[in-house]
Amino acid sequence: MDTAFELNSQYRNDILASLPKSKDFTDHLNQVSKNRAASSLKELYKYQNVPGMIVMAGGIPHPEVFPFETLSATILAPDAFPLDPPRVPKKEKSSLLSWLFSAPKPTLNISIPKWAPKPVDPTTIQLSTSLQYQAATGPPALPLFLREYVSKIYKPAYADWDVLINNGNTDGWNKIVQLLFEKGDTVLVEEWTYPSAVNAFLPYDIQSVPIKMDKEGISPEHLEKVLSEWDEKARDGRKRPKVVYTVPTGQNPTGATMEAERKKKLYDIFAKYDIIIVEDEPYYCLYTGEWTPKGSKSDKSILAQRNAEAEKKEGKEGNEAFIKALPPSYLYFDTDGRVVRLDTFSKTSAPGSRLGWFTANPLFIERLTRISEVSTQAASGFATALTVSSIQKWGFDGYIRWLRGVKATYNMRKTWICDAFQDTFHLEWDQAHVQDLFPNGSKTITCYSKQPKNKWDEKKGLNGPGLVTFTPPTAGMFVFLGVHISEHPDYVELTRKGEDATHVLVQRLWTQLADNLVLFAPGWYFDGGGEHAIGGKGYGYFRLSFSIATYEETYRAVETFAKVLDKFFKLN
Amino acid sequence: MDTAFELNSQYRNDILASLPKSKDFTDHLNQVSKNRAASSLKELYKYQNVPGMIVMAGGIPHPEVFPFETLSATILAPDAFPLDPPRVPKKEKSSLLSWLFSAPKPTLNISIPKWAPKPVDPTTIQLSTSLQYQAATGPPALPLFLREYVSKIYKPAYADWDVLINNGNTDGWNKIVQLLFEKGDTVLVEEWTYPSAVNAFLPYDIQSVPIKMDKEGISPEHLEKVLSEWDEKARDGRKRPKVVYTVPTGQNPTGATMEAERKKKLYDIFAKYDIIIVEDEPYYCLYTGEWTPKGSKSDKSILAQRNAEAEKKEGKEGNEAFIKALPPSYLYFDTDGRVVRLDTFSKTSAPGSRLGWFTANPLFIERLTRISEVSTQAASGFATALTVSSIQKWGFDGYIRWLRGVKATYNMRKTWICDAFQDTFHLEWDQAHVQDLFPNGSKTITCYSKQPKNKWDEKKGLNGPGLVTFTPPTAGMFVFLGVHISEHPDYVELTRKGEDATHVLVQRLWTQLADNLVLFAPGWYFDGGGEHAIGGKGYGYFRLSFSIATYEETYRAVETFAKVLDKFFKLN
């Protein structure tokens, strides 16, 4: 984090002017993308905005018959969420009723008319334009804001990048699949990965090549090994991957976050093998930092601690501290223009917006615009109008303050679940075998039962075997648990019988949990394939989302988990 | 129309129960569509809604941090637009100012809270759900409404059809391309067709096969000829088309509308050759009927005239007359389930919604859902929430009344442009060579200059040559003009010099028009290829949209066109 901060601070406007232009990546486009024609009506566009022109060339409905005359919204104020909420909520928000009757949050009102007074101002939002057919690039106000945001937050290392809106990161990744891949290609993925991303390319006979992870995500050593030792013959004639799909911050499902040094190292390897880096960053602003257990001191560096204190302040200083704390984007190292970054409003505003954006080199942006024109066209005008109007109401600094409130909220929820584990299990900070195998900067924790000692086999001076290992996440909304399935009394017998003991027992545990009203996501769903570095054989995985449950539910879930585990491992 | 009405009236609920199920069209899916896997988390979904379950399986953000607390809209009342507006507008709506100060239309207010009192009711719309991740099928209230609408308006001829929302017809057609086509396939299109639809499949090396049109669209004779005489060798090994892309109502650009008998005839040919019919119907509700010239009587049948009178009435009778007047959908004849219908809210509500829907057999609907899940996911929740809330506010009958108002508005605009031609040119209703070559039920018109006779070559007893031929459209928002380019004094000389005289002269005319502040769309943009049935060689085409211009602008455009034509043809 401190490294990232120092690197970030080197970035200056005067450097921007001297940045290189992106390389030519035409060879990376697939044949279909190369085939796409630009509109043949350029002549027409030239005349379209001539004053006094009677335009009968378009095929657009009259805004008179759009049923929406005015659109209004009550939105939360940028500072609706506290920057440093109490560790234990004062008033428990355990039900819909308690939500409804809790103290109202500060709000603002926005209103979008059908006809605005200054329709030609590029920042004007009016329904007669937003609800009309729009260019795939969306209302001009949106790219204007996004370019400012990308400049200030990501600081790309080349000059001619641009942005293009899409319908959220799932749509964004699907368009990248349409842009770059040929049937029979390969693609680098993390050993644990997001299944919807895989489902987008799998039907095209595109093979995923899993790379091992450690606590900071993709392992540079394994990556270099896979790429340098690539053997087409051994791979059924498949060529070396030309694209990597990665979730660098709060990775789904592991929660791993790549920090600056790791990213630079990986960028150099990707550049060496001419690989396009697609960084899918839904959780970027949910970079919440390390969990500090109750009753202990933070082990962050002094600089990081100072920044964390500054983050609790309102105003400019707090906003800057928030930005400093963020890990650098791959764009920050991208002197070639080989990074396609996917950002979304799903986690920072609302998923139902179906609104996100690409940041990429101008060639890719132009081809992606062509793809958008014949598929999604523009994102919904309701979504762009309401999103832009909200941001305009808040202002740029207000938007950053909003993001900080969202971050603080998820940090609070992360603290709840980690605290619940601390209160429910006996925790040991791993020193040896499991250390470094789990992601994140945080130290890895193994959980032991708090059952009375006399009911246990004694091992290592602890109450019975380690049951679960995990690393408190530093970003995102997930805790990824490894259950020590091989400690189960039936494990050996099942294995002897030739069964997949881990799978059988994980399934049994998952069902017992569900029968006790706790629903986790099974880890196998996120299996990117290959031999796993994270955890060994005999580990069973679950992904727990802490984004939705109340404080009470979070504790109830972890306590139920502990009871079910005791029973499952036959400890009582 | 009367045929359609009779056919429609045969359709009864008791017949519905005895309808056949769709055939198995698995062979029509492309390999990629066959490869798509359903979600492997069915087990999980089973538990998701168990009461009391603490769900930590999802990866969804907390609605608490959606910034939108309430969304409100002022919408027009269902009867905001008159059913029988005056032929010449009383108050000219020539500028934005006059719009702003014109009499306010009746409005209604809708408001969508973050949390509604009855969240489990399938018709409830609340922001905490609409702005959350949603199933690709959208909020349950939307398919509920769409199924009712499809049943009542289209009356499909098989039992197990279903609907699926998409992001508008461009997205819908693109998904059909992803569903059905293999590289190297062929697809049937109309000889004049919508270029964005072609741009969606062209890059995949899919070849369009144009079919000639007459005044009711696709010619059954030419279709049968092309399919029966298909010769793979002569076609570079390309196989017979398995899909047709067609715009049956108010075709873009020709304005042609296929009536019941023609559709039935075509359906039988498509079924014989096992072809999937994709009917793209953005202009379906803009089926406005024939233009009756000023000072003349309608030549509609007595039954059609009676229905037209009933259409002017408010209430049930008027609504039923509106539905009766609509041409039947291909779905009405679809006993196989081979029709994919594309409907959109773009023309009936607003294009910026990016919201439309498929009606198709259950196999296609299921595979299209898989495609949606990895690309657009659901349509924007802003769009679905506001669209559904508006329809709920209006009620089903109110929605039909709204559609009637929209239809009446476009009919008024169509009347303006046809009247402007009548007032500006000398019109002759063609009896001979051009008759039947142009689309629509209306008779074809040739326009002559109103310049003084003495400046003209005299032909056929008229003031000079016919300049322009067109058929007043019965649906949609376009007039498709054929300019008699071969009558131009330079035509022969240019041709002698080996130039493409038509192209050169059309381009010259188009530029002269634009220089005089009138912008038409050039016809070549919509050229589906092949030898054209509509109009002969030496015709130059323009598509005029009458959807946007005011009454005054419409007259100014047509008068300017007449003046430019006189100069272009060197008549003065």
Side-chain angles (χ1 to χ4, degrees), chain B residues 250-529:
Chain B
Q251 204 259 2
N252 186 353
T254 65
T257 295
M258 298 180 199
E259 302 289 351
E261 259 176 86
R262 171 63 59 93
K263 273 202 185 108
K264 177 72 180 90
K265 212 171 192 176
L266 289 169
Y267 181 85
D268 290 343
I269 301 173
F270 291 132
K272 177 177 162 190
Y273 292 98
D274 197 14
I275 285 165
I276 302 296
I277 303 163
V278 183
E279 61 169 357
D280 182 7
E281 282 285 46
Y283 310 109
Y284 187 69
C285 292
L286 309 186
Y287 180 79
T288 50
E290 286 175 37
W291 171 64
T292 307
K294 288 194 285 186
S296 69
K297 278 184 183 170
S298 165
D299 55 358
K300 285 177 189 167
S301 72
I302 291 171
L303 216 66
Q305 279 187 52
R306 255 187 224 154
N307 202 59
E309 280 309 308
E311 272 206 74
K312 293 174 187 169
K313 292 182 185 162
E314 294 290 347
K316 211 175 163 62
E317 189 188 344
N319 278 8
E320 279 174 8
F322 164 78
I323 295 169
K324 272 181 199 166
L326 292 166
S329 162
Y330 269 107
L331 287 170
Y332 185 79
F333 305 105
D334 189 17
T335 43
D336 294 348
R338 65 173 62 254
V339 174
V340 179
R341 187 179 168 97
L342 302 175
D343 278 289
T344 176
F345 286 99
S346 287
K347 305 303 190 291
T348 53
S349 178
S353 316
R354 304 317 306 130
L355 187 62
W357 78 93
F358 302 100
T359 308
N361 68 57
L363 172 74
F364 286 2
I365 292 292
E366 188 274 339
R367 293 285 91 183
L368 288 165
T369 308
R370 298 288 88 76
I371 292 176
S372 300
E373 280 165 357
V374 297
S375 57
T376 51
Q377 298 194 337
S380 165
F382 289 117
T384 54
L386 287 161
T387 304
V388 171
S389 296
S390 304
I391 294 171
Q392 286 177 344
K393 188 78 183 181
W394 289 338
F396 193 90
D397 290 340
Y399 182 66
I400 300 297
R401 174 59 184 84
W402 169 259
L403 296 179
R404 295 170 63 199
V406 174
K407 162 178 169 164
T409 301
Y410 284 99
N411 191 46
M412 174 185 78
R413 292 174 175 280
K414 181 193 75 180
T415 306
W416 292 351
I417 199 165
C418 293
D419 286 0
F421 270 92
Q422 188 181 7
D423 290 346
T424 311
F425 290 91
H426 173 84
L427 304 192
E428 286 287 318
W429 274 258
D430 285 4
Q431 301 299 330
H433 68 293
V434 202
Q435 192 187 19
D436 291 339
L437 286 177
F438 266 74
N440 290 318
S442 300
K443 289 207 180 95
T444 297
I445 291 167
T446 293
C447 306
Y448 294 81
S449 176
K450 280 193 174 175
Q451 286 286 318
K453 200 176 175 179
N454 59 1
K455 292 197 182 176
W456 288 69
D457 284 338
E458 203 156 319
K459 279 189 189 176
K460 300 175 234 160
L462 290 162
N463 287 335
L467 303 180
V468 173
T469 295
F470 75 101
T471 309
T474 52
M477 34 176 82
F478 307 118
V479 171
F480 195 55
L481 297 176
V483 178
H484 300 207
I485 291 293
S486 58
E487 302 284 357
H488 192 279
D490 299 349
Y491 185 83
V492 176
E493 179 63 11
L494 279 164
T495 306
R496 204 189 50 80
K497 283 185 188 162
E499 291 200 59
D500 182 345
T502 305
H503 189 76
V504 169
L505 291 167
V506 159
Q507 198 61 24
R508 192 191 293 173
L509 176 58
W510 184 84
T511 308
Q512 285 174 10
L513 275 165
D515 288 341
N516 283 278
L517 299 178
V518 173
L519 203 61
F520 292 168
W524 56 259
Y525 186 53
F526 306 93
D527 194 343

Side-chain angles (χ1 to χ4, degrees), chain A residues 32 35-36 39-41 43-44 47-48 50-76 81 93 96 99-100 105 107 114-115 130-133 167 170-171 174 178 196 199-200 203-204 346-354 373-383 386 390 394 402 406 409-410 413 417 477-478 507 510-511 514-515 517-522 524-525 543-545 547-549 553-554 556-557, chain B residues 32 35-36 39-41 43-44 47-48 50-76 81 93 96 99-100 105 107 115 130-133 167 170-171 174 178 196 199-200 203-204 346-354 373-383 386 390 394 402 406 409-410 413 417 477-478 507 510-511 514-515 517-522 524-525 543-545 547-549 553-554 556-557:
Chain A
V32 170
N35 291 348
R36 286 188 195 277
S39 172
S40 44
L41 283 181
E43 272 289 287
L44 202 142
Y47 281 100
Q48 197 127 288
V50 170
M53 185 66 75
I54 302 175
V55 180
M56 291 185 150
I60 60 175
H62 201 294
E64 177 188 27
V65 290
F66 299 171
F68 300 93
E69 292 283 291
T70 320
L71 203 58
S72 309
T74 307
I75 60 168
L76 293 172
F81 294 99
K93 292 171 175 177
L96 177 56
W99 274 112
L100 289 172
K105 294 192 173 59
T107 56
K114 193 178 249 185
W115 303 101
S130 286
L131 300 188
Q132 189 53 279
Y133 286 104
N167 292 27
T170 301
D171 175 58
N174 181 59
Q178 306 301 326
S196 282
N199 287 341
Y204 296 92
S346 288
K347 306 302 189 293
T348 54
S349 177
S353 316
R354 304 317 306 130
E373 280 165 357
V374 297
S375 57
T376 51
Q377 297 196 336
S380 165
F382 289 117
L386 287 161
S390 303
W394 289 339
W402 169 258
V406 174
T409 300
Y410 284 100
R413 291 174 175 280
I417 200 166
M477 34 177 80
F478 306 117
Q507 198 60 24
W510 184 84
T511 309
D515 288 340
L517 299 178
V518 173
L519 202 61
F520 292 168
W524 55 257
Y525 186 54
R543 190 194 74 174
L544 282 59
S545 167
S547 57
I548 285 288
E553 286 169 341
T554 304
R556 187 145 37 96
Chain B
V32 170
N35 290 348
R36 288 188 194 278
S39 173
S40 45
L41 282 183
E43 271 289 286
L44 203 141
Y47 282 101
Q48 198 127 285
V50 171
M53 184 66 73
I54 304 174
V55 179
M56 291 185 151
I60 59 175
H62 201 292
E64 176 188 27
V65 290
F66 298 170
F68 299 93
E69 292 283 291
T70 320
L71 203 57
S72 309
T74 307
I75 61 168
L76 293 172
F81 293 99
K93 292 173 176 176
L96 177 56
W99 274 112
L100 289 172
K105 293 193 174 60
T107 57
W115 303 101
S130 286
L131 299 187
Q132 188 54 278
Y133 285 104
N167 292 27
T170 301
D171 175 58
N174 182 59
Q178 306 301 327
S196 282
N199 286 341
Y204 295 93
S346 287
K347 305 303 190 291
T348 53
S349 178
S353 316
R354 304 317 306 130
E373 280 165 357
V374 297
S375 57
T376 51
Q377 298 194 337
S380 165
F382 289 117
L386 287 161
S390 304
W394 289 338
W402 169 259
V406 174
T409 301
Y410 284 99
R413 292 174 175 280
I417 199 165
M477 34 176 82
F478 307 118
Q507 198 61 24
W510 184 84
T511 308
D515 288 341
L517 299 178
V518 173
L519 203 61
F520 292 168
W524 56 259
Y525 186 53
R543 190 194 74 174
L544 282 59
S545 167
S547 57
I548 285 289
E553 286 169 343
T554 303
R556 187 144 38 95

Side-chain angles (χ1 to χ4, degrees), chain B residues 7-18:
Chain B
L7 286 167
N8 279 345
S9 63
Q10 287 168 12
Y11 193 89
R12 294 283 177 277
N13 277 336
D14 53 342
I15 295 176
L16 235 183
S18 66

Side-chain angles (χ1 to χ4, degrees), chain A residues 369-398:
Chain A
T369 308
R370 298 288 87 77
I371 292 176
S372 299
E373 280 165 357
V374 297
S375 57
T376 51
Q377 297 196 336
S380 165
F382 289 117
T384 55
L386 287 161
T387 303
V388 171
S389 297
S390 303
I391 294 171
Q392 286 178 343
K393 188 77 182 180
W394 289 339
F396 192 91
D397 290 340

